[in-house]
């Protein structure tokens, strides 16, 4: 059979084109696979962190995520957002994923097209999106590379970003502003802080926590030069104010890592060259700071949880008596009727008719140690030592520098420590105050558990977790004489006589910080959760 030249030529062309097509598919597959591989942490990326915990793990992670970090500049964020902040998990429509306007269930109040809707000016929600520093840039003087680090700078609505301002994150009591997806600004009801806070919706609480954990890890060596903003600590570890750390640990446990976070972490790695380790391995959070779930570890008993040397106390008007406040090592301190010009080893705080009180500190208290000395005139005496408002012992003082330890306080969980001068005139200097961690079963909890009944079959809290400061109780409540609410350390938070006297099946409670509580109804004990 004969073929003319045109048929042969046509057949040859088809063969060549087919081979090119197959080679192109192979090439595209290889490129796609390479892109996919690049979107994951390289093998061995976290190897140098293996086997570490606490401050050592935090330092190792800091070194890992500092290496490879490419600063693309503040303007570069707009470009980065085209891949990092695109909604692929909710509407999946290519719009900007804004944590301050996204409604996980239901229709978003507005949506933004990448680049087209960049701010610009704004006056109301929905005008435009801009660059929200989850850790405010005012805290680090808008310096590089922090000011352009995409791992903690989100594309969010301009108006809500402006309302959030530079306030820390926490649980809001009464909202003064609420965004269209339910994010709130208002007074804090988070334990240890009474200022103004911003609270995102539950869907993104963990996202916010892990971004802040990234920041205080990546930039831990710079924290001492940053302003705290009532959220950052001034030391490498723990790196956060204690109250803020407690909030973020709860949010991290409450809102686990989502696919949207994983997508963003991968895209940010492609864009910037480093990763958020707390998205790749959420257990790192608990291994560093402790936590309520995910295998978190707490400091070993006997190690110091708090160590205050008073080297950072205020220096203005040192000889006058007034209220003095300062922060050190993640603890906020308040000394009333206090002066700062007296010394024991070096600097010391001197209390007249007042007290020294810490902010809330995690990981409990085992034993407390402090050095005291009576200054000027007066007589020997003692300070009361209180933990969470309950006296646990006394500290003596005289004209000699005297170091005293109160052993076996043994209270777990969050603690607030107060040293109270029982004299109205003696002026006593305090120095080198420290206490050890405690993670066992506390004395109060042991006593509390033995006193409460356990008949929980007839009564039940619903729904659980509770909402709107109201506990609904199923079962026979008509004859209950007293309701008592306890935290897990055995402290009474609220007492209500004849709680169901109006034939209601609910109890209105005071604002409680998120956590687990016990409701004692006469002889029955019920556990409930506040989110």
């Amino acid at each position: 059979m004969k073929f003319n030249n045109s048929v042969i030529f046509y057949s040859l062309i088809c063969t060549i084109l087919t081979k090119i097509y197959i080679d192109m598919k192979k090439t595209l597959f290889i490129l796609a696979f390479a892109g996919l591989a690049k979107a994951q942490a390289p093998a061995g990326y976290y190897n140098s962190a293996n086997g570490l915990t606490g401050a050592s793990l935090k330092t190792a992670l800091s070194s890992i995520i500092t290496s490879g970090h490419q600063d693309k500049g503040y303007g570069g964020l707009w470009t980065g957002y085209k891949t990092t902040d695109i909604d692929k998990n909710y509407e999946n429509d290519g719009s900007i994923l804004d944590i301050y306007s996204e409604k996980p269930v239901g229709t978003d109040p507005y949506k933004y097209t990448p680049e087209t809707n960049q701010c610009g000016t704004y006056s109301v929600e929905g005008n435009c999106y801009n660059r929200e520093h989850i850790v405010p840039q005012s805290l680090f003087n808008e310096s590089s590379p922090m000011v352009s680090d995409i791992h903690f700078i989100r594309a969010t609505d301009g108006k809500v970003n402006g309302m959030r301002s530079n306030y820390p994150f926490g649980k809001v009591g009464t909202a003064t502003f609420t965004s269209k997806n339910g994010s709130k600004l208002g007074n804090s009801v988070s334990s240890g802080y009474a200022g103004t806070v911003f609270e995102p919706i539950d869907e993104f609480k963990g996202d916010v926590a892990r971004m802040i954990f990234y920041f205080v890890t990546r930039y831990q060596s710079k924290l001492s030069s940053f302003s705290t903003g009532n959220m950052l600590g001034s030391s490498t570890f723990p790196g956060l104010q204690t109250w803020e750390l407690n909030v973020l640990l709860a949010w991290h446990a409450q809102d686990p890592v989502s696919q949207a976070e994983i997508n963003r972490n991968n895209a940010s790695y492609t864009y910037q060259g480093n990763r958020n380790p707390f998205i790749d391995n959420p257990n790192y959070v608990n291994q560093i700071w402790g936590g309520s779930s995910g295998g978190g570890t707490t400091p070993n008993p006997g190690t110091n949880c708090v160590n205050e040397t008073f080297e950072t106390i205020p220096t203005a008007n040192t000889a006058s008596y007034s209220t003095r406040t300062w922060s050190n090592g993640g603890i906020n301190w308040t000394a009333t009727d206090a002066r700062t010009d007296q010394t024991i080893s070096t600097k010391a705080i001197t209390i007249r008719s007042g007290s020294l009180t810490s902010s809330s500190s995690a990981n409990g208290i085992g034993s407390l140690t402090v050095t005291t000395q009576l200054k000027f005139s007066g007589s020997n005496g003692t300070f009361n030592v209180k933990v969470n408002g309950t006296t646990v012992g006394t500290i003596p003082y005289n004209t000699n520098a005297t170091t005293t330890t109160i052993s076996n306080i043994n209270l777990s969980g969050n603690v607030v420590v107060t040293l109270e001068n029982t004299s109205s005139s003696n002026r006593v200097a305090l120095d080198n105050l420290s206490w050890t961690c405690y993670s066992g079963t506390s004395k109060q909890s042991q006593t509390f558990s033995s006193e409460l009944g356990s008949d929980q079959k007839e009564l039940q809290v619903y729904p659980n977790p509770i909402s709107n400061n109201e506990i609904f109780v199923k079962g026979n409540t008509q004859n209950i004489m007293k309701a008592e609410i306890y935290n897990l350390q055995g402290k009474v938070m609220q007492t209500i006589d004849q709680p169901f006297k109006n034939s209601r099946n609910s109890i209105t409670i005071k604002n409680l910080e998120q956590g687990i509580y016990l409701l004692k109804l006469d002889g029955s004990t019920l556990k409930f959760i506040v989110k």
Side-chain angles (χ1 to χ4, degrees), residues 112-185:
Y112 290 128
T113 301
E115 192 170 10
T116 302
N117 297 128
Q118 289 174 195
C119 292
T121 59
Y122 57 84
S123 57
V124 296
E125 279 191 73
N127 283 158
C128 57
Y129 73 92
N130 61 10
R131 296 161 289 192
E132 158 72 313
H133 292 75
I134 297 299
V135 176
Q137 56 182 321
S138 60
L139 303 188
F140 48 81
N141 294 320
E142 304 178 16
S143 300
S144 296
M146 292 74 67
V147 75
S148 53
D149 188 335
I150 204 164
H151 278 294
F152 76 96
I153 308 173
R154 297 296 298 253
T156 66
D157 176 78
K159 174 64 176 179
V160 185
N161 184 354
M163 293 302 297
R164 185 258 160 149
S165 186
N166 60 356
Y167 295 112
F169 290 91
K171 184 177 179 182
V172 168
T174 301
T176 56
F177 168 82
T178 303
S179 78
K180 293 183 178 180
N181 84 331
S183 301
K184 297 182 290 187
L185 180 75

Side-chain angles (χ1 to χ4, degrees), residues 111-427:
K111 63 177 60 178
Y112 290 128
T113 301
E115 192 170 10
T116 302
N117 297 128
Q118 289 174 195
C119 292
T121 59
Y122 57 84
S123 57
V124 296
E125 279 191 73
N127 283 158
C128 57
Y129 73 92
N130 61 10
R131 296 161 289 192
E132 158 72 313
H133 292 75
I134 297 299
V135 176
Q137 56 182 321
S138 60
L139 303 188
F140 48 81
N141 294 320
E142 304 178 16
S143 300
S144 296
M146 292 74 67
V147 75
S148 53
D149 188 335
I150 204 164
H151 278 294
F152 76 96
I153 308 173
R154 297 296 298 253
T156 66
D157 176 78
K159 174 64 176 179
V160 185
N161 184 354
M163 293 302 297
R164 185 258 160 149
S165 186
N166 60 356
Y167 295 112
F169 290 91
K171 184 177 179 182
V172 168
T174 301
T176 56
F177 168 82
T178 303
S179 78
K180 293 183 178 180
N181 84 331
S183 301
K184 297 182 290 187
L185 180 75
N187 67 297
S188 170
V189 291
S190 294
S191 178
Y193 184 68
T196 301
V197 293
F198 190 86
E199 180 180 358
I201 62 173
D202 289 349
E203 181 77 6
F204 301 114
K205 282 185 165 75
D207 305 50
V208 166
R210 288 178 282 272
M211 284 187 278
I212 296 175
F213 290 145
Y214 164 87
F215 181 92
V216 299
T217 300
R218 167 65 179 88
Y219 301 108
Q220 66 170 19
S221 64
K222 299 177 181 287
L223 290 176
S224 61
S225 65
F226 295 165
S227 300
T228 69
N230 294 308
M231 61 187 297
L232 301 180
S234 56
S235 58
T236 297
F237 185 81
L240 285 159
Q241 300 288 310
T242 300
W243 79 270
E244 182 74 288
L245 175 59
N246 290 338
V247 168
L248 299 181
L249 287 174
W251 287 3
H252 169 71
Q254 171 188 329
D255 174 32
V257 171
S258 66
Q259 187 59 49
E261 282 182 274
I262 294 171
N263 293 345
R264 190 177 195 275
N265 195 28
N266 290 335
S268 297
Y269 176 58
T270 300
Y271 168 76
Q272 188 171 280
N274 68 339
R275 304 183 65 81
N276 184 333
F278 306 107
I279 295 173
D280 286 331
N281 186 351
N283 283 335
Y284 282 151
V285 172
N286 303 302
Q287 290 166 7
I288 293 173
W289 292 285
S292 57
S293 67
T297 57
T298 55
N300 293 326
T303 60
N304 275 358
C305 268
V306 171
N307 187 21
E308 178 55 50
T309 61
F310 302 97
E311 294 305 302
T312 61
I313 57 176
T315 56
N317 301 315
T318 57
S320 63
Y321 290 93
S322 63
T323 297
R324 311 284 185 160
T325 59
W326 70 96
S327 298
N328 184 35
I331 300 291
N332 297 327
W333 295 96
T334 301
T336 59
D337 201 21
R339 60 192 290 171
T340 61
D341 62 332
Q342 300 299 299
T343 63
I344 297 181
S345 55
T346 51
K347 291 184 179 179
I349 191 76
T350 301
I351 308 294
R352 184 172 57 182
S353 181
S355 62
L356 172 68
T357 303
S358 74
S359 59
S360 181
S361 172
N363 300 313
I365 179 171
S367 301
L368 177 143
T369 301
V370 66
T371 301
T372 59
Q373 187 175 26
L374 177 66
K375 298 292 182 178
F376 312 109
S377 59
S379 57
N380 299 347
T382 59
F383 271 66
N384 284 335
V385 178
K386 295 183 176 181
V387 178
N388 296 337
T390 300
T391 300
V392 296
T394 58
I395 295 290
Y397 59 80
N398 54 58
T399 55
N400 298 317
T402 304
T403 300
T404 304
T405 297
I406 301 177
S407 301
N408 299 318
I409 299 173
N410 295 350
L411 295 174
S412 59
N414 296 337
V415 294
V416 174
V417 175
T418 299
L419 275 66
E420 181 181 67
N421 193 352
T422 60
S423 165
S424 61
S425 58
N426 287 344
R427 291 154 290 184

Side-chain angles (χ1 to χ4, degrees), residues 71-98:
D71 184 359
K72 297 296 185 70
Y74 191 47
L77 290 169
W78 297 124
T79 301
Y81 290 154
K82 295 177 185 178
T83 56
T84 61
D85 287 50
I86 301 301
D87 187 346
K88 297 180 180 179
N89 301 91
Y90 298 95
E91 282 68 38
N92 192 22
D93 57 3
S95 65
I96 291 292
L97 175 54
D98 170 15

